[in-house]
Amino acid sequence: MARALELARRGVALAHPNPVVGAVLVKRGRKIGEGFHVYAKRDHAEIVALRQAGDKARGATLYVTLEPCCTTGRTGPCTKAIIAAGVTRVVAAMNDPNPAVAGRGFAELKRAGVKVALGIGEESARQLNQDFARWIRTGLPFVTLKAALTLDGQIAQRAGSATSITGSAAREAVQRLRHSADALLTGIGTVLADDPRLTDRSAQPRGRKLLRAVVDSRLRLALKSKLVKSARGDVIVFTTQRTDSPKARALERAGAEVFRMPSRAGHVDLQKVLRELGKREILHVILEAGAQLNGAALKSDIVDKVALFYAPKIMGTGGVPLASIPAASWFTKSPALKNLTMSRCGPDFLVEGYFHDVYGNH
């Protein structure tokens, strides 16, 4: 199963909008086939492993990170292929997270006389597909708020300024995080202050372009910004302004999509932004923004997970906090993060934790 999970990780940024899955076929203690899922190549991990094994699959055990499918979509059911190949035992890490089909694949295998075991490596498998699970159950993407902070919780020296806080190891970790996402979401304040490109610079292959999304209520995004100048159908601007205005048309001509959203208290409705991204088969969104949008996202309860990169530095008074939220209206009802982990990134450290489970519950 450890090898199957390792293979599944190779499908990150290649399998969406499908789940990442790895599979290994073993017979008499020896590996006879293995595979992982890549959306563009259609075949599921189990089929890749079965084809590699050929006739040797008869009597083998299949280790797979996700319950084999029993429905016909872009491909035929994996359960039928497993049964036809003569596999006698299937060991799966987790059920299919889609409640409409969960358990049906195992039931079909059992009816055909295939032995089934479930739960080995389950925690790792669930973490690999937490974004798929959220999307398939709710139609909404999984949202990770990422930020670099000093120990006293500051993200910049002053509003509207760019401040380098963490070191190279943390920046490399950010690129790996971006690689796992389908979209980056930022606010116009961050774009005006930093003029970022918001690209995946991990040098790892992607199945589709990383979508770069900007919340820009008043449509202030500059045509000369790095985002717009590098737009190739992978930049979308969510605004409350008319899409037939001269500025909107100029942005469209430059390669950015302008999408008008409903307004909530004069700002773009972030819940509606997520709903639109979900319709576009965006499973994982990373929020890389400033205090205003971070605060609005937390207040709107759209953040599922935080990834906070802390540098061992103190900024002092006058800096910009992680989130602009009045403490009097937020702190007493703020949900506590769960499943906290901490890891080192060179001299810095990363704290990760969850507000929601895959159903969106606290």
Side-chain angles (χ1 to χ4, degrees):
M1 187 58 75
R3 175 58 178 168
L5 288 164
E6 180 184 339
L7 288 166
R9 292 185 187 98
R10 295 187 189 180
V12 170
L14 296 172
H16 283 181
N18 283 356
V20 294
V21 183
V24 178
L25 271 167
V26 176
K27 188 173 183 179
R28 300 189 185 96
R30 298 184 63 181
K31 182 181 69 178
I32 58 173
E34 64 178 24
F36 63 96
H37 179 54
V38 175
Y39 187 79
K41 294 183 179 180
R42 290 180 176 265
D43 283 343
H44 291 183
E46 301 95 314
I47 304 303
V48 176
L50 287 170
R51 286 181 174 170
Q52 193 176 108
D55 293 339
K56 295 178 183 178
R58 187 161 299 279
T61 295
L62 173 68
Y63 293 86
V64 62
T65 59
L66 185 69
E67 177 181 358
C69 68
C70 61
T71 58
T72 299
R74 298 171 75 240
T75 64
C78 288
T79 49
K80 293 191 182 305
I82 292 167
I83 294 165
V87 172
T88 55
R89 182 167 176 254
V90 171
V91 181
M94 62 178 286
N95 286 93
D96 192 316
N98 185 350
V101 297
R104 290 171 54 189
F106 293 142
E108 184 171 326
L109 291 171
K110 290 176 181 178
R111 285 195 298 271
V114 179
K115 295 179 181 179
V116 172
L118 175 66
I120 297 175
E122 183 175 7
E123 184 176 347
S124 296
R126 288 189 181 282
Q127 189 171 24
L128 273 173
N129 279 307
Q130 60 190 359
D131 44 18
F132 174 79
R134 162 53 78 82
W135 178 74
I136 201 68
R137 288 168 167 165
T138 68
L140 298 172
F142 185 90
V143 178
T144 299
L145 188 159
K146 167 261 153 186
L149 308 89
T150 57
L151 287 179
D152 53 345
Q154 310 297 305
I155 61 173
Q157 286 180 297
R158 60 184 180 277
S161 69
T163 307
S164 180
I165 293 178
T166 51
S168 59
R171 290 193 290 272
E172 289 175 6
V174 168
Q175 292 305 317
R176 292 193 294 272
L177 183 61
R178 285 184 179 183
H179 181 67
S180 71
D182 301 310
L184 300 183
L185 179 65
T186 194
I188 185 60
T190 297
V191 176
L192 294 176
D194 298 350
D195 193 22
R197 285 191 176 86
L198 296 177
T199 52
D200 174 3
R201 298 189 293 279
S202 67
Q204 298 300 310
R206 299 188 63 88
R208 52 184 178 173
K209 292 181 180 179
L210 178 66
L211 182 66
R212 298 172 289 166
V214 183
V215 175
D216 183 7
S217 298
R218 292 183 283 160
L219 215 56
R220 294 185 288 160
L221 182 61
L223 293 170
K224 293 183 179 180
S225 66
K226 291 176 182 176
L227 268 177
V228 176
K229 290 174 72 174
S230 63
R232 300 293 185 275
D234 56 353
V235 172
I236 183 169
V237 185
F238 292 108
T239 185
T240 59
Q241 305 300 303
R242 294 169 60 94
T243 57
D244 59 354
S245 68
K247 179 63 176 292
R249 288 175 175 172
L251 287 169
E252 294 268 7
R253 287 195 297 271
E257 180 185 355
V258 179
F259 196 94
R260 190 178 187 184
M261 298 297 297
S263 171
R264 174 176 288 188
H267 300 285
V268 169
D269 188 327
L270 295 180
Q271 293 280 0
K272 296 293 177 59
V273 167
L274 284 198
R275 183 64 61 184
E276 177 59 30
L277 291 174
K279 289 178 181 177
R280 297 173 183 233
E281 298 185 332
I282 298 297
L283 279 58
H284 185 192
V285 173
I286 295 178
L287 177 63
E288 293 194 27
Q292 294 297 323
L293 187 55
N294 285 344
L298 289 168
K299 286 174 65 178
S300 298
D301 201 27
I302 67 168
V303 178
D304 299 303
K305 177 183 178 181
V306 297
L308 305 178
F309 293 85
Y310 282 93
K313 303 173 183 178
I314 302 294
M315 185 169 291
T317 59
V320 180
L322 169 67
S324 180
I325 313 177
S329 64
W330 168 257
F331 182 71
T332 56
K333 64 179 181 180
S334 172
L337 290 166
K338 299 177 181 178
N339 301 323
L340 284 172
T341 60
M342 186 176 74
S343 56
R344 292 294 299 268
C345 295
D348 309 315
F349 61 96
L350 168 63
V351 174
E352 297 176 281
Y354 293 82
F355 282 121
H356 302 139
D357 61 23
V358 295
Y359 291 99
N361 301 315
H362 288 293

